[in-house]
Amino acid sequence: VTLAGPGEGISREELQLAARNHGLPLEALRHPITPTGLHYVLLHYDIPAVDAAAFRLSVGGCVQREFSLSLDELRARPAVELAVTMECAGNGRALLEPRPISQPWLQEAVGTARWRGTPLRALLKEAALEDGAVEILFAGVDRGVENEAEQRFERSLSVFEAMRPDVLVAYEMNGDPLPPQHGFPVRLIVPGWYGMASVKWLTEITVLDRPFDGYQQAHAYRLRQAEEEEGTPLARMPPRALMVPPGIPEFPSRQRILEAGTCLLEGRAWSGHGAIEWVEVSADGGRSWAAAEVDHDLNSPWAWSAWGLEWDASPGEHELMCRARDEAGNEQPLEPDWNLGGYANNAVQRVPVTVR
Ligand SMILES: Nc1nc2c(c(=O)[nH]1)N[C@H]1C(S)=C(S)[C@@H](COP(=O)(O)O)O[C@H]1N2
Ligand SMILES: [Mo]
């Protein structure tokens, strides 16, 4: 990982990544289900061209019965639809100092969709895992060079996580076939986890008798301070609340401008560790906090909750902030914890506003 120097601006390479991998425009937090084109997108390599007619999903490795399925065969299996909030583990990276050079997310790498697919668990039961099975490996068809080695995008899950009934082999997003950028024709959905676990363009499921040591597992997506540390693997999303920036933006700075008077502050909050217990809002840069009303409107344990609070905006400059806590007791920090990969920065959002 390369780090940006003190005060070093976004490079052309980071801009190239940012233009391909787009975030959720924060005003789209108003929608309980993110309109498909506004859901964030993260691509390590290129969007592969997959021929749906020739598509096969194979299940093999350390199993008693290997098999493969066509798209029609997959779609004929028992189906489940789940509302799931997904967030990139690199969300918040560009706000770290020093900034790790990679996809420069601010805070917008999130979205919620209704994913329809068949439970992974039943596929694994059908294949019948051998006694020595410890992990399940998921391989996408997209290829690239990373850390000087050519590779596919591959990630694994422990047998325990893979057997959770809500892990889906998904073929629909918001009632339509998956769009190319979200994994057409088939992807994994691992609710509650950061997005890297939800392998897109999935074609191979391989049961392993040893932990997977590929790049995206053993090196990337780990919290570490230095290259030589083994680090701890990322898994579930810690809590985060985001607000719809109120008022209107100035172009191009996007500084917010609003009229004095009552203003509804609203947004959404989520956690991969359980339901959101509370959301608090500060209008004075964190000196005082008020509890927002939280509505678990999607009624899904894996999807974000809406929150709102009326604020009496007085003329002047203000810094708005929001923070969440989940039922497991995790709370958002005011300041980020730095790490080399620039992962898991769930420090509170700060929105400066000018009230006229
Ligand atoms: N095959 C493949 N799967 C992938 C990726 C990828 O680059 N290739 N990116 C991962 C990462 S890091 C994230 S955050 C999510 C993003 O999913 P989305 O683009 O549908 O929002 O997909 C994951 N699955
Ligand atoms: Mo990601």
Side-chain angles (χ1 to χ4, degrees):
V1 179
T2 318
L3 302 177
E8 185 182 323
I10 295 283
S11 66
R12 192 182 175 125
E13 285 178 3
E14 287 170 290
L15 174 61
Q16 180 171 248
L17 288 174
R20 291 175 56 75
N21 298 320
H22 71 78
L24 172 89
L26 293 183
E27 60 275 29
L29 288 165
R30 292 200 180 94
H31 302 274
I33 296 293
T34 309
T36 301
L38 300 184
H39 191 287
Y40 87 97
V41 173
L42 191 291
L43 314 159
H44 277 244
Y45 313 131
D46 292 351
I47 299 172
V50 183
D51 176 2
F55 170 87
R56 309 283 309 175
L57 173 66
S58 68
V59 183
C62 213
V63 297
Q64 282 160 34
R65 286 183 293 279
E66 300 207 335
F67 60 90
S68 75
L69 298 170
S70 69
L71 191 53
D72 284 344
E73 287 166 336
L74 206 58
R75 295 182 69 105
R77 297 179 64 91
V80 174
E81 192 174 68
L82 288 177
V84 174
T85 296
M86 194 190 295
E87 181 185 16
C88 180
N91 203 11
R93 175 182 291 125
L95 299 172
L96 293 175
E97 287 267 4
R99 181 179 78 252
I101 304 284
S102 183
Q103 166 64 30
W105 293 123
L106 297 165
Q107 288 169 319
E108 63 296 275
V110 66
T112 297
R114 291 193 197 277
W115 302 99
R116 186 178 178 82
T118 195
L120 172 68
R121 181 191 172 90
L123 293 176
L124 296 176
K125 291 219 151 154
E126 215 163 291
L129 307 196
E130 301 268 17
D131 285 345
V134 294
E135 285 194 358
I136 321 290
L137 179 63
F138 304 91
V141 299
D142 51 328
R143 302 182 69 87
V145 175
E146 207 168 336
N147 201 31
E148 293 173 4
E150 190 178 323
Q151 54 195 284
R152 302 171 73 172
F153 186 89
E154 295 177 298
R155 288 274 312 178
S156 70
L157 289 175
S158 68
V159 171
F160 178 81
E161 288 291 339
M163 284 292 186
R164 281 167 46 206
D166 288 344
V167 177
L168 299 183
V169 174
Y171 45 76
E172 276 182 20
M173 179 184 190
N174 300 333
D176 292 315
L178 299 184
Q181 69 274 27
H182 292 294
F184 180 83
V186 169
R187 77 177 302 172
L188 195 65
I189 290 291
V190 185
W193 282 50
Y194 276 129
M196 73 281 159
S198 295
V199 174
K200 301 192 273 191
W201 312 293
L202 177 66
T203 55
E204 272 173 49
I205 300 176
T206 311
V207 179
L208 304 179
D209 59 5
R210 74 210 120 73
F212 175 56
D213 63 359
Y215 179 77
Q216 305 297 346
Q217 198 82 24
H219 195 85
Y221 299 107
R222 284 176 171 260
L223 290 174
R224 56 156 76 85
Q225 297 296 307
E227 224 44 91
E228 58 278 11
E229 280 175 37
E230 192 188 343
T232 53
L234 290 156
R236 286 167 192 263
M237 305 175 289
R240 188 198 289 274
L242 288 177
M243 78 176 83
V244 175
I248 56 171
E250 184 198 53
F251 186 83
S253 70
R254 300 199 55 76
Q255 167 69 26
R256 310 306 300 186
I257 295 149
L258 58 147
E259 303 300 322
T262 303
C263 168
L264 176 65
L265 300 177
E266 57 178 338
R268 300 201 179 256
W270 66 94
S271 167
H273 295 277
I276 292 299
E277 192 170 273
W278 53 246
V279 174
E280 290 182 338
V281 176
S282 171
D284 55 12
R287 279 186 294 281
S288 65
W289 296 86
E293 206 170 293
V294 176
D295 181 4
H296 303 292
D297 55 343
L298 282 173
N299 200 22
S300 161
W302 307 118
W304 56 22
S305 298
W307 62 263
L309 181 73
E310 284 200 337
W311 174 48
D312 186 21
S314 58
E317 304 293 325
H318 305 271
E319 187 180 52
L320 304 176
M321 296 161 75
C322 55
R323 67 177 182 195
R325 176 187 163 98
D326 65 29
E327 63 183 354
N330 303 296
E331 241 172 72
Q332 283 184 256
L334 293 177
E335 299 301 331
D337 282 330
W338 192 89
N339 62 90
L340 190 64
Y343 299 119
N345 173 9
N346 69 330
V348 297
Q349 179 192 18
R350 293 165 189 266
V351 182
V353 299
T354 303
V355 179
R356 293 192 297 216

Coordinates of all heavy atoms in Angstrom, one line a residue, residues 73 304 354:
E73 N -31.6 -23.6 -13.9 CA -31.6 -24.6 -12.8 C -31.5 -23.9 -11.5 O -32.2 -24.2 -10.5 CB -30.5 -25.6 -13.0 CG -30.8 -26.6 -14.1 CD -29.6 -27.5 -14.5 OE1 -28.5 -27.0 -14.3 OE2 -29.9 -28.5 -15.1
W304 N -30.6 -1.1 6.6 CA -30.6 0.1 7.4 C -31.9 0.6 7.9 O -33.0 0.1 7.4 CB -29.9 1.2 6.6 CG -30.5 1.6 5.3 CD1 -31.8 1.4 4.8 CD2 -29.8 2.2 4.2 NE1 -31.9 1.8 3.5 CE2 -30.7 2.4 3.1 CE3 -28.5 2.7 4.0 CZ2 -30.4 3.0 1.9 CZ3 -28.2 3.3 2.8 CH2 -29.1 3.4 1.8
T354 N -24.2 26.6 6.2 CA -24.4 28.1 6.4 C -25.9 28.3 6.4 O -26.6 28.0 5.4 CB -23.7 28.8 5.2 OG1 -22.4 28.4 5.2 CG2 -23.9 30.3 5.4

